[in-house]
Amino acid sequence: MKFIYRIILWLSALMLVFMTLWGIFFFRALEAEIIDETDDMLESYSADIIMKWLSGVEIPSIDNGSNNTYYIHKVSPDYAASVPQIRYENAMIFIAHKKETEAARIRHHIFMDDDSFYELTVAVPSFERQDLISAILKWMVFLYFILLVACIGITVAVVEYNFRPLKALLGWINSYVPGKKSAPVPCDTGIIEFRTLAQATQEAADRFERQYELQNQFIGNASHELQTPLAVCTGRIEMMLDSDTLTQQQAEDLMEINRTLQRMVRLNRTLLLMTKIDNGQFMDVSDVDIVASVKDSAGMFDEIYAHKGVRYILSAEDGALNVKMNEQLSSILVSNLIKNAFVHSPAGTEVDISVTGRTLKVTNDGGPALDKDRIFDRFYQGSGKKEGSTGLGLALVKSICDRYSFRLDYTYDGRHNFIVGF
């Protein structure tokens, strides 16, 4: 989930809680204010009626056309002593001229006249709680969405504006390729945290580049330095094999040593080639016909492994598959994939090679599924290690695919499938 979406979700949830609590508080405060004002009005109305009653002045008619209602009745001294002199309550009353029942605020006031106790009950229609709650809820929902849209808009704008340095840093990280010259880490911001992050990223990248360069130099230098002694050893062994004084056992030992040296030569040559690829030394690019390269490599390996009875079947769509890349690397990529299939195929089986659209697929039989996470690692050979194999063929294919951003994949459906998407 993106950071801005998480902010929006949290903002929406917290604002909903806040608005709910604020709505409850607002309703309680509004209710208390309305009741206080109504009680003040009832107190004034009661005082006026009692004053007129005690003075003998004619009091208003009960059914006077207003919503205010009152009545006076005589009560016993015991009753007067048992209840508060003034008390308020909420109840439903019948409005005579409206002929309907409404919610009302009622005030009871006990007073004396000529040693007799009377109770004045004054009522005035009040607000309907449900109506008020519904109105407040409706406007609260409306206000919530208005505030939410406004807050989200402001928040997104503020975050997008202030997170520009972070987006620039992420863009730099996504485009960073080890061993290639990259622009400095963007650090054009006054925000301390982002500047610290950019500086730490630049320092980490510089350290990685130094280590990467040292590693490549070591592999390259080691490969170059090994070429001469390996060539000398190979030449001397060949000279010794031509000697007439060798016994059969000595000849067999020398041949075994020679096979080991040849493996070291291939290993050294492959490591040197991979170093050159990683260092970007194959700069020239041309239109390469992959189908033609597949036919050449498949025909060559078909002859080499004819003794195993392994044959290939080529399926290619009409028209060549042209790819812009180094011609030498294209030949290495195709030949390593096809050679891997021939080497690991059991005797008497077939290697299926298909070129469909922009995809090359090489399929062969042999053994259980390989570890998909390690199949393209250097020196990984699984459980079916073959004589003379360096374990670098598929790793070399991956280096070339990474160099040109080709898609390389491995699947197993009873057969091994190696797929390159150009």
Side-chain angles (χ1 to χ4, degrees), residues 143-154:
L143 180 62
Y144 169 75
F145 282 106
I146 292 296
L147 288 177
L148 182 62
V149 171
C151 288
I152 288 176
I154 294 172

Side-chain angles (χ1 to χ4, degrees), residues 44-45 54 134 143 175 177 199 235 257 301 307 312 319 346 362 400:
S44 176
Y45 189 46
L54 295 177
S134 298
L143 180 62
S175 63
V177 178
Q199 291 170 1
I257 294 172
F301 289 117
H307 65 281
Y312 76 93
V362 180
I400 297 173

